[in-house]
Each structure stands twice: as C-alpha cells, then as structure tokens.
Amino acid sequence: MELVLLVWRNLTARFTRSLFTWLGIAVATASMVLFLSFGEGLRQALVSEMGNFGPQIRVVAEGTDVFSPPQPELPPEMLDQIKALAPELGIRKIIPSVMLVRGGFDPTSSFIFHGLPEGADPRDFYPPAKAAAGRLDPHPDGAVVGAKKAELSRLTLGKPLRLSREVTVPVVGILEPASGLVDSLIFVPLKTLQQVLGTKNYGVFMILLDPDTKVEEVARKLEAAIPGIDAQSTNEALKFAERSLRIGDLIRFGISLVALVVGGLLVANTVMMSVYERTREFGVMRAIGARRRFIFGLVLSEALFLALAGGLAGVLAGVLGSAAINAYTQEAVGLALSAVTPRLALFSMAVALVLGLVAGLLPARGASRIPVTEALGRV
C-alpha cells in the first residue's frame, strides 16, 4: 500500500506530463484494438454466414478462388455428369447457377444477381429465408430482393429492374432482414440471367448432401470423377478465409505496433525525467534505509501504472469505436465487421503492459544504482 501511494503521489505531482503520457498509450492501444477488431469481426461474420449457408459444396471451374464470383465456364454436360454421380455420392440436390455483379464497391450502387433454376428459391441458399412482401419464387420472370438491397436501392414490389438493354424484370418479392450476405443479393430466374450473359453455361453448381454424408470425401470424389472442376466445401472456405485473415492481422498489428512503440517511448521519457528530477529524493530514501530493490520497484511500478491505465482506457475506446463502426456497417451492408473479443482485449492489455515494463526497466535500473553520496549532492 505504501508503494501504491508513493506511485500515485509521484505521478499526480507531475500531472500534465503524466496525463499526456497516459493519453499517448490510450490512443496507441485503441488504434491496435480497432485495427485487429476487423479481423475478429470478419471471423465471426464468416462463421455465422457459413453456418447459415445451405449448400455444403460449391463446384466451380478449376482455378476459381473460394470467394471470387464464378464465371460461366461449366457446360451443361457437367451438370449431367454430376446428376449421374448423385445417388452414389449421397447428393440430395444440385442447383446450377450463374452470377452477375454490377456496380462498384458502394453498397447503394452495386447489384449482385443470382440465377435460380426452376424448383429452387432463396431458402436453398439460406434456409431461414422468409418473404417480408410478395413471394420467394422469382419464376417465371421476376426478382426476389434481399432486405438491405431493397432498402438501399428503394426497391418495392412491382418496381422494374433492368438487367440489360433487352431484359427487365419486376420485383416480385422482398426478403425479411437476415443480417447477412443474403440481404444484399437479388435472385432472378437462371434462364433470364443466362440470356443477359449470352451463354448456356453455368458458373457454379451448389450441392446439398444427404444427412451424415462426409462432405470432404464427396468433394474429392467429384474432382476425381470430373476433370476441370474445383469442389469447394464450406470447411475449405473457412480455412482459406482464416489464412487470409491471419495475414491481415499481422499487417494490421505491424502498423499499430508503431503507435505502441511511440507510446512506450513516451512512458520511458516520462519516467526518466521523473528519475532525474527526484535524484535527491532517492538519495534521502536510501540514506534512511530504503533498499535498491525498493527504488527499482517504485520507478518500475510508475511505468507499469501508466501502461495499465493507458491500456484500459485504450481498450474501452476501442470498444466504443468498434460499436460506432458496426453501426455504420450494419446500416450499409447488414454485417457487423468489427468485434472486440475477450482475447483481443487481453492481448492488447498484455502488449501495453509489456511495453510499459520494457520502457521502465532502464530508468528503474538507473535510479536504483545512483550512489547515495552523489544523489544527496544533487540540487
């Protein structure tokens, strides 16, 4: 308790300097929390999306990335080949489809069209899907729009959607909000989208399996039986995403580490100046019986206290910043893309404390090794 009171007295005696040092560490920690929260948020969003995704396997042309929009490169003969293998592999349903992406990265101007064959509707992709207005089936010549896309583009029942100069379809259904990717999709009849693209090929085959079927085993058998395809399971998609997110995490951590190092230097500067100004005080403490390790612990505790206080404030600021980001992304794309998890908060606190420890070691060592006679002679 005596040590804690001394630490508090010494830091508040130089309030302005301590305040700016605390703010520096808080800002550095908050920046790290916010940078890394995007990786955590994307992980949670992907796991949630994949958990709600109906098809277990996505068959695309060989060389297509897991999250790339598939090109219409699969001929109709491939669909017949997969249908012939279906009873043997435990395939319950095959949904051929093509995709068309229009617009840029702005959610209000981009349109993602998904072609559905007859007999399929949005529930095959997202089982909980329900119609808020109209119907779920876009056939024979309509469009079913996700809730977020309908809101952002002001689409209502009966409003025409222009796919090309020759092809226009009316909105026949609007889905209930689902807080996911399906909110931003537009489902149209497969033949309509093929007409727009000028092809009879397919871009992807979505495959639903019987219960208790081994997904990875079916995917490998499909690739072995049909040359020129990639059978991508949901587990493979998650593994691919995890590798990409880890690389992103390392880059973001490297960027935020620069700010944390600056915060550590602020701590070192504050503590070293404090040691210089209190050299005579340390001499008096040594003269009346204080041991070197007490002086060492006192100075190091000041550095750790600044790091701890700044780290806590930084984590709190990161949580508030993450909530503000999610409020925007939920409104824009229907997904929470930032998350401050317990492991992220603990990791950020640990980094702040380690930097405080490192920044305080040299000043603490110097203060504990000043000779008593020299310290008492300082003015």
Side-chain angles (χ1 to χ4, degrees):
M1 182 58 68
E2 180 184 0
L3 183 65
V4 172
L5 291 175
L6 279 171
V7 168
W8 178 255
R9 188 203 69 181
N10 294 332
L11 291 176
T12 53
R14 297 157 184 84
F15 180 76
T16 303
R17 186 191 302 161
S18 298
L19 176 64
F20 280 105
T21 303
W22 171 77
L23 284 174
I25 299 171
V27 170
T29 306
S31 68
M32 182 178 68
V33 171
L34 280 177
F35 274 130
L36 297 182
S37 72
F38 286 108
E40 295 293 307
L42 286 170
R43 280 187 183 88
Q44 290 185 359
L46 281 170
V47 170
S48 175
E49 286 295 303
M50 292 300 179
N52 290 324
F53 193 61
Q56 293 96 334
I57 297 176
R58 187 182 92 138
V59 176
V60 292
E62 192 173 16
T64 304
D65 290 338
V66 174
F67 293 103
S68 297
Q71 299 300 313
E73 300 173 340
L74 303 175
E77 295 78 24
M78 277 191 178
L79 178 59
D80 296 331
Q81 289 177 281
I82 296 177
K83 285 181 178 179
L85 294 169
E88 174 190 346
L89 299 181
I91 295 175
R92 175 167 55 88
K93 190 172 185 178
I94 306 166
I95 306 171
S97 181
V98 292
M99 290 183 68
L100 175 63
V101 180
R102 290 277 172 85
F105 294 101
D106 185 355
T108 59
S109 61
S110 61
F111 291 83
I112 305 174
F113 296 97
H114 216 302
L116 293 178
E118 290 188 20
D121 63 47
R123 288 173 296 188
D124 291 312
F125 293 87
Y126 184 75
K130 294 180 181 179
R135 63 177 193 261
L136 283 172
D137 189 358
H139 295 90
D141 56 359
V144 177
V145 185
K148 184 57 65 176
K149 183 73 256 178
E151 178 186 344
L152 292 175
S153 301
R154 299 178 181 178
L155 298 175
T156 57
L157 290 180
K159 189 168 184 177
L161 269 174
R162 189 177 181 183
L163 277 68
S164 69
R165 289 183 179 180
E166 297 79 19
V167 180
T168 300
V169 295
V171 175
V172 298
I174 297 175
L175 299 178
E176 289 185 357
S179 297
L181 181 61
V182 72
D183 274 348
S184 301
L185 296 179
I186 301 175
F187 297 94
V188 297
L190 174 60
K191 290 183 178 179
T192 301
L193 213 50
Q194 286 176 318
Q195 179 186 346
V196 172
L197 295 171
T199 182
K200 292 185 178 181
N201 289 346
Y202 305 108
V204 60
F205 299 130
M206 297 293 186
I207 295 180
L208 289 81
L209 302 176
D210 293 329
D212 302 324
T213 304
K214 295 180 179 179
V215 178
E216 301 297 335
E217 185 178 319
V218 172
R220 301 293 77 80
K221 285 182 178 179
L222 282 171
E223 290 177 340
I226 305 173
I229 66 166
D230 281 339
Q232 301 165 348
S233 67
T234 51
N235 287 335
E236 286 178 313
L238 285 173
K239 289 177 183 177
F240 178 86
E242 181 62 28
R243 287 195 298 269
S244 302
L245 288 171
R246 284 181 180 176
I247 294 171
D249 285 344
L250 289 174
I251 294 171
R252 287 187 291 270
F253 178 67
I255 295 171
S256 59
L257 193 60
V258 175
L260 284 167
V261 169
V262 173
L265 292 174
L266 284 172
V267 174
N269 177 69
T270 297
V271 177
M272 288 184 73
M273 289 297 296
S274 176
V275 167
Y276 178 78
E277 293 170 357
R278 292 155 54 205
T279 301
R280 184 176 177 84
E281 178 185 334
F282 291 143
V284 172
M285 293 173 70
R286 289 288 309 282
I288 61 176
R291 296 185 178 183
R292 285 184 174 181
R293 66 182 182 184
F294 179 82
I295 304 297
F296 182 90
L298 175 63
V299 176
L300 189 61
S301 296
E302 291 176 14
L304 287 174
F305 183 85
L306 283 171
L308 177 63
L312 286 171
V315 170
L316 179 59
V319 171
L320 295 175
S322 176
I325 290 169
N326 284 337
Y328 171 77
T329 58
Q330 286 275 17
E331 181 67 24
V333 296
L335 288 171
L337 299 181
S338 176
V340 181
T341 59
R343 72 171 183 174
L344 174 56
L346 290 174
F347 175 75
S348 302
M349 285 299 305
V351 171
L353 286 173
V354 168
L355 283 175
L357 178 65
V358 172
L361 281 175
L362 186 60
R365 183 177 181 275
S368 65
R369 289 178 175 270
I370 299 175
V372 177
T373 52
E374 180 184 334
L376 291 173
R378 293 277 183 93
V379 178

